[in-house]
Amino acid sequence: MNFARLVDRRPELTPDEMVQAMTPPPRFESARFETYIPNPDEPSQAQAVRDCSGFVERVNAASAGGSWLRGIFGGKKKQAEGKRGLYLDGGFGVGKTHLLASLWHATEGLKSYGTFVEITNLVGALGFAETVRRLSEHRLLAIDEFELDDPGDTMLVTQLIAKLTDAGVHVAATSNTLPDKLGEGRFAAVDFLREIHAMSERFGVVRVDGPDYRHRGLPEAPPPTSDEELSRLAEATDGSTFDDFDALCGYLAGLHPSKYGRLVDDITAVHLSGVRAAPDQDVALRLVALADRLYDRAIPVRVSGEPLSALFTEEMLQGGYRKKYLRAISRLTALSRDLTRS
């Protein structure tokens, strides 16, 4: 059978397309503060909505007020409400991305939204100075899935945030790690503590607690199918793709993660045969990035082989990237359940 395959796609993005694409992904196009449903058992969630709404009001007021209000809000106030940065910290599945997208939608004027890897790739494509020039014209930069995975990214992002906030740009970010703990367990973060702490001083931290909403009261993910059944289901699903898991992992190694979103654009469902645990950390992190882009676009997933919960080894789940891997499992499980219900 001739199936459409992800490995046959050749996604490309020009620098201008990267800038134009800096908006919330399709799943969060309609996200608003009013549509965020706080868990009544977690008061921090309702408080986070209030804190984000207040931050937006300050962003819009500072922009409308020009240099006079910029001077007020750009001073050395240590209170969270005086800082140009808002940092949503909490576990996966508590709605941080929904809040970030809502914040972006409520901000007036020029603004940009991207994942951490999309931001770093933009700098790689445009150059640091040109990225600063373009984004300095914006009122807000929203960064989803903020993480520092290596020393180069640490230096790059801290410098970018410093330049943008000094230019009057407000920055909002989500992460599973407090800003002064970024990089812990992944590289020699002690060598970069000054840079990390300098960056964290620019953010007011808003905690969002609670269980993973994607699985509250819902059944477990469906078990893997047989290869034959997977092939039949892929053939019956218009606009879907069918790939061998190992072949896809090999293909992703040669594709920059910033292109993973374009890779799965316009796909209705993804079918993967022979799923097994990622053989090493590099492969695992690419799978995390792919899972995030599939989730952004609400693209269902069906597999054969091992269950999606077995994508990452116990050793990986106990290491420095634990939160990333758990988020990927949570999102992929939700996507596999979506396809079963459809």
Side-chain angles (χ1 to χ4, degrees):
M1 299 178 184
N2 284 324
F3 294 111
R5 303 189 305 167
L6 292 175
V7 297
D8 294 329
R9 295 166 71 95
R10 297 292 180 269
E12 294 295 336
L13 278 172
T14 68
D16 284 340
E17 286 176 328
M18 291 180 195
V19 175
Q20 294 166 6
M22 292 183 72
T23 60
R27 180 182 286 272
F28 298 100
E29 283 179 354
S30 59
R32 299 295 186 274
F33 292 130
E34 296 79 14
T35 61
Y36 180 87
I37 304 174
N39 185 338
D41 296 327
E42 301 292 342
S44 68
Q45 294 188 8
Q47 183 60 49
V49 175
R50 292 190 289 270
D51 289 339
C52 289
S53 298
F55 184 76
V56 169
E57 291 176 5
R58 295 194 300 276
V59 173
N60 291 337
S63 300
S67 59
W68 180 71
L69 274 173
R70 279 174 180 262
I72 293 176
F73 285 94
K76 297 183 178 180
K77 294 174 65 177
K78 295 302 181 183
Q79 298 91 338
E81 61 267 21
K83 296 182 178 181
R84 289 197 178 278
L86 180 74
Y87 196 95
L88 293 168
D89 170 64
F92 50 87
V94 294
K96 299 188 305 296
T97 300
H98 185 125
L99 289 171
L100 185 70
S102 300
L103 193 155
W104 186 91
H105 285 297
T107 298
E108 301 167 355
L110 282 174
K111 52 196 174 181
S112 47
Y113 180 111
T115 62
F116 183 80
V117 70
E118 288 168 339
I119 301 299
T120 56
N121 188 63
L122 183 68
V123 177
L126 296 179
F128 186 82
E130 179 63 11
T131 301
V132 171
R133 187 190 71 79
R134 290 200 187 201
L135 297 186
S136 291
E137 300 172 354
H138 292 202
R139 295 180 178 181
L140 172 74
L141 170 63
I143 308 175
D144 199 16
E145 301 155 18
F146 196 106
E147 189 54 91
L148 301 178
D149 292 340
D150 60 61
D153 283 349
T154 302
M155 300 299 292
L156 177 70
V157 174
T158 54
Q159 291 173 18
L160 179 65
I161 288 176
K163 290 287 187 183
L164 293 179
T165 53
D166 286 346
V169 181
H170 287 73
V171 179
T174 71
S175 181
N176 298 322
T177 307
L178 287 168
D180 63 345
K181 301 297 184 183
L182 289 164
E184 275 192 356
R186 298 159 182 79
F187 58 89
V190 67
D191 297 334
F192 298 89
L193 282 178
R194 184 177 64 181
E195 287 78 10
I196 292 173
H197 287 165
M199 181 186 69
S200 68
E201 283 295 308
R202 297 173 184 265
F203 286 93
V205 177
V206 173
R207 180 72 188 177
V208 191
D209 296 307
D212 185 348
Y213 80 92
R214 284 184 283 269
H215 306 296
R216 288 204 301 257
L218 294 176
E220 292 296 315
T225 69
S226 66
D227 288 340
E228 294 75 15
E229 178 67 2
L230 188 71
S231 174
R232 185 191 69 77
L233 292 168
E235 186 178 22
T237 308
D238 291 339
S240 70
T241 58
F242 184 97
D243 287 84
D244 173 77
F245 178 75
D246 286 341
L248 180 61
C249 289
Y251 174 67
L252 294 178
L255 188 68
H256 193 279
S258 65
K259 296 180 181 178
Y260 289 6
R262 180 63 62 88
L263 174 69
V264 298
D265 276 346
D266 305 320
I267 298 297
T268 61
V270 167
H271 298 77
L272 296 176
S273 65
V275 166
R276 63 187 180 96
D280 57 54
Q281 201 96 262
D282 289 338
V283 173
L285 290 173
R286 293 184 197 111
L287 292 172
V288 169
L290 180 64
D292 288 337
R293 303 293 74 79
L294 291 170
Y295 184 76
D296 285 345
R297 289 156 176 77
I299 300 174
V301 177
R302 186 182 278 125
V303 304
S304 69
E306 295 295 317
L308 289 166
S309 58
L311 266 183
F312 311 108
T313 65
E314 280 302 314
E315 182 180 3
M316 292 175 182
L317 292 175
Q318 298 304 316
Y321 297 106
R322 178 176 183 273
K323 291 179 181 178
K324 282 192 172 187
Y325 297 145
L326 290 175
R327 183 187 73 220
I329 291 172
S330 169
R331 290 182 164 186
L332 288 170
T333 298
L335 292 174
S336 65
R337 191 185 297 122
D338 287 346
L339 192 52
T340 301
R341 288 201 304 255
S342 62

